């Protein structure tokens, strides 16, 4: 294991980690959850979940990964030999597969929309047309699967190239591009007449929409957004240098991720309001409302193509980190060559992922099949975001406090005393010891109906 591939620069660490955090979560999930659940009121609850649960879990995962210098299963085995703690690693691998099953499907729709936008499919489109285009795509028996396979080929090629030559190099080039494209969309949306209503929607809280369900959704989103509770940040942390400032990196990533979510909201809602549409269109917001809204602008199809291109970039860099989890495990624990590990994982996702693709809509091929009242697509999302990730996060913070212990933690967070961040470390310790676990447990018990508030 001497020659483990690593991120070579601090900037590479930032772009790769931010590349994992920023994804469909910012552009697809965040705006539609916000639209459905009371705008800024939802954002406030979400931010609380990020600060008190998501961020502390991210720092904890960095510590575990870098200290053990290993994939999630190997990391817990090294730090707590002979115990069952490495089950957290396996749960992470399971979660990363479940997420990829539906994530690669949605990413496939996004890829296809770039081409649809360029070819002028949406010029002056009416709501009926954009609804029909989306409906046709997701109810087709083969098209979503072909796009999903294209997505997997792209992501696999990057992963096969390696941590430094693949992930680091690609994210260094793509993340700044994503930011510039998003800025372009923001400027266009914010200069539309009537744009202010959308801004107000994002920043003026409506607390009447807040329910217990919404709090659960916000916690799930915080974990999903920051890619924590399922081994990704353990894996990436294991590629960090010993001089990397762990709390500093996590705070920068979380803040930048929130910035991107807000920028996505500012690209979407002002335009939605300017053209008199509803903000709470649900999952279809991205694929039905957005194409229609953009089609009403001058040069709208070009802007739409840009918008879907930036979404595709965000999704692709996030998927790299998802695929890296099983690949690192197979390479390090099973001695599998990297290329074979990647191709095997991708093939499994392609095979099982079609169940998500083909069940995305109730009218689609497998859409009628319900398990616990959910389609395959929703089930994969629910089990990963609302069960496996919060549980993984909970056990990770318990591990950090009760197994790794305060002294080791202080050493890792201060880079063996080289950083002068004692107060940060103390604050972090109080949060991971008391607040994060309590918050996660309360929300979790509430969500499965054991406790009722
Ligand atoms: N954070 C990514 C997003 O918001 C999704 C993701 C989850 C990526 C878990 C990696 C691990 O889209």
């Amino acid at each position: 294991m001497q020659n483990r591939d690593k991120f070579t620069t601090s900037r590479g660490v930032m772009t790769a980690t931010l590349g994992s955090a920023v994804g469909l979560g910012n552009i697809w999930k965040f705006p539609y959850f916000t639209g459905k659940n009371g705008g800024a009121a939802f954002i406030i609850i979400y931010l609380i979940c990020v600060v008190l649960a998501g961020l502390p879990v991210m720092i904890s995962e960095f510590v575990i990964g870098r200290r053990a210098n290993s994939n999630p299963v190997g990391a817990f085995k090294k730090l707590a030999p002979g115990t069952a703690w490495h089950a957290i690693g396996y749960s992470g691998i399971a979660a990363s597969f479940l997420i990829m099953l539906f994530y690669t499907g949605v990413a496939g729709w996004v890829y296809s929309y770039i081409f649809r936008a360029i070819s002028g499919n949406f010029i002056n489109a009416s709501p009926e047309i954009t609804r029909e285009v989306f409906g046709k795509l997701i109810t087709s028996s083969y098209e979503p699967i072909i796009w999903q396979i294209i997505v997997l080929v792209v992501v696999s090629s990057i992963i096969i190239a390696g941590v430094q030559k693949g992930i680091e190099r690609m994210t260094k080039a793509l993340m700044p591009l994503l930011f510039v494209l998003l800025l372009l969309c923001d400027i266009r949306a914010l200069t539309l007449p009537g744009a202010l209503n959308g801004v107000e929607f994002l920043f003026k809280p409506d607390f009447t929409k807040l329910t217990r369900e919404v709090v659960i959704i916000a916690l799930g989103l915080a974990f999903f957004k920051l890619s924590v509770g399922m081994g990704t940040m353990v894996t990436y942390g294991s590629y960090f240098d010993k001089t990397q400032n762990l709390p500093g990196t996590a705070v920068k990533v979380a803040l930048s991720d929130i910035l991107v979510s807000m920028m996505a909201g500012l690209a979407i809602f002002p335009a939605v309001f300017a053209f008199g549409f509803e903000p709470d269109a649900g999952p279809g917001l991205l694929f039905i409302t957005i194409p229609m809204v953009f089609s009403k602008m001058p040069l709208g199809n070009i802007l739409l193509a840009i918008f879907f291109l930036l979404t595709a970039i965000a999704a692709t860099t996030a998927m790299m980190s998802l695929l890296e989890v099983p690949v690192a495990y197979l390479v390090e624990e099973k001695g599998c060559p990297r290329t074979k590990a990647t191709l095997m994982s991708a093939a499994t996702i392609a095979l099982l992922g079609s169940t998500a693709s083909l069940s995305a809509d109730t009218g689609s091929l497998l859409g009628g099949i319900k398990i616990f009242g959910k389609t395959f697509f929703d089930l994969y999302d629910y089990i990963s975001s609302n069960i496996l990730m919060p549980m993984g996060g909970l056990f990770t913070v318990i591990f950090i406090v009760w197994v790794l212990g305060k002294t080791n933690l202080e050493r890792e967070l201060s880079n063996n005393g080289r950083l002068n961040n004692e107060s940060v470390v103390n604050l972090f310790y109080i949060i991971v010891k008391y607040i994060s676990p309590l918050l996660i447990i309360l929300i979790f018990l509430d969500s499965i109906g054991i406790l009722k508030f």
Side-chain angles (χ1 to χ4, degrees):
M1 206 94 56
Q2 278 87 347
N3 288 328
R4 264 182 118 242
D5 203 357
K6 277 193 175 307
F7 298 131
T8 51
T9 60
S10 200
R11 200 170 90 83
V13 164
M14 263 310 286
T15 57
T17 314
L18 190 60
S20 168
V22 168
L24 291 171
N26 308 63
I27 297 158
W28 177 57
K29 276 193 172 194
F30 176 86
Y32 94 69
F33 285 168
T34 306
K36 267 191 128 130
N37 301 312
F42 174 79
I43 298 179
I44 293 172
I45 304 293
Y46 166 69
L47 290 180
I48 295 174
C49 292
V50 167
V51 173
L52 297 181
L55 187 59
V57 174
M58 183 187 276
I59 298 174
S60 307
E61 292 196 7
F62 285 167
V63 167
I64 293 167
R66 189 180 67 173
R67 187 172 172 83
N69 201 17
S70 177
N71 69 88
V73 173
F76 285 100
K77 277 188 180 163
K78 260 192 203 166
L79 300 179
T83 66
W85 281 102
H86 63 274
I88 302 178
Y90 286 119
S91 144
I93 294 171
S96 78
F97 267 107
L98 282 177
I99 295 172
M100 275 188 289
L101 295 186
F102 67 89
Y103 206 98
T104 49
V106 180
W109 306 343
V110 172
Y111 277 34
S112 87
Y113 265 58
I114 303 175
F115 298 97
R116 286 192 154 81
I118 293 176
S119 63
N121 257 336
F122 299 111
I123 293 174
N124 268 328
S126 64
E128 290 71 39
I129 293 183
T130 57
R131 196 172 299 274
E132 197 188 303
V133 170
F134 184 53
K136 261 203 188 135
L137 168 66
I138 64 171
T139 52
S140 150
S141 52
Y142 65 92
E143 201 188 332
I145 298 178
I146 293 177
W147 284 109
Q148 195 166 19
I149 292 174
I150 295 175
V151 165
L152 279 164
V153 169
V154 171
V155 178
S156 303
S157 344
I158 300 168
I159 290 302
I160 289 172
V163 175
Q164 185 202 327
K165 294 217 174 80
I167 301 174
E168 180 171 354
R169 219 178 47 177
M170 287 307 282
T171 56
K172 265 184 177 165
L174 291 176
M175 293 312 284
L177 177 64
L178 183 157
F179 194 80
V180 172
L181 296 180
L182 190 53
L183 202 61
L184 216 75
C185 293
D186 276 346
I187 294 171
R188 176 65 272 213
L190 288 171
T191 47
L192 290 168
L196 271 184
N197 290 333
V199 179
E200 193 179 306
F201 176 76
L202 265 184
F203 292 105
K204 208 167 131 197
D206 167 12
F207 287 104
T208 58
K209 290 246 176 86
L210 284 189
T211 57
R212 296 187 357 245
E213 179 86 34
V214 172
V215 180
I216 298 162
I217 292 177
L219 183 78
L221 182 64
F223 277 91
F224 186 84
K225 272 303 326 105
L226 295 181
S227 317
V228 295
M230 40 76 64
T232 314
M233 293 304 173
V234 175
T235 311
Y236 271 21
S238 77
Y239 303 139
F240 289 7
D241 197 84
K242 291 286 178 207
T243 58
Q244 188 73 26
N245 179 340
L246 301 184
T249 307
V251 169
K252 273 196 237 159
V253 168
L255 284 178
S256 315
D257 180 63
I258 289 167
L259 178 71
V260 173
S261 292
M262 297 309 262
M263 284 174 75
L266 285 177
I268 294 172
F269 291 118
V272 168
F273 279 90
F275 292 103
F277 294 108
E278 288 302 313
D280 59 351
L285 185 66
L286 183 58
F287 298 99
I288 298 171
T289 313
I290 297 291
M292 190 165 55
V293 168
F294 279 60
S295 79
K296 304 258 177 292
M297 302 176 195
L299 293 182
N301 54 331
I302 296 177
L303 202 67
L304 189 63
I306 291 180
F307 185 81
F308 279 105
L309 175 65
L310 81 88
T311 308
I313 292 175
T316 305
T317 57
M319 284 181 293
M320 295 176 201
S321 70
L322 280 163
L323 189 56
E324 184 61 26
V325 174
V327 169
Y329 163 75
L330 288 172
V331 170
E332 294 177 0
E333 302 300 307
K334 300 285 166 209
C336 190
R338 191 169 172 90
T339 304
K340 188 174 163 202
T342 309
L343 294 179
M344 265 168 36
S345 306
T348 312
I349 299 158
L351 226 60
L352 298 176
S354 52
T355 56
S357 270
L358 299 178
S359 72
D361 181 80
T362 36
S364 57
L365 209 57
L366 301 178
I369 304 175
K370 297 268 170 73
I371 301 157
F372 303 120
K374 293 186 186 325
T375 58
F376 287 109
F377 186 101
D378 293 336
L379 192 70
Y380 300 152
D381 188 10
Y382 184 82
I383 296 179
S384 49
S385 293
N386 294 23
I387 300 177
L388 292 180
M389 295 168 92
M391 282 300 101
L394 174 65
F395 285 112
T396 301
V397 291
I398 293 176
F399 181 86
I400 277 282
V401 171
W402 303 101
V403 181
L404 199 66
K406 194 166 182 202
T407 318
N408 286 329
L409 194 60
E410 275 166 353
R411 253 185 230 141
E412 280 299 330
L413 293 179
S414 69
N415 293 347
N416 263 327
R418 260 169 292 176
L419 297 174
N420 214 342
N421 59 358
E422 216 172 303
S423 48
V424 173
V425 175
N426 286 335
L427 177 68
F428 171 76
Y429 190 72
I430 293 172
I431 295 179
V432 283
K433 186 166 180 189
Y434 302 107
I435 303 177
S436 313
L438 207 67
L439 184 76
I440 300 170
I441 289 172
L442 286 181
I443 297 180
F444 191 73
L445 290 183
D446 187 45
S447 81
I448 52 176
I450 291 180
L451 263 183
K452 286 264 174 270
F453 295 111

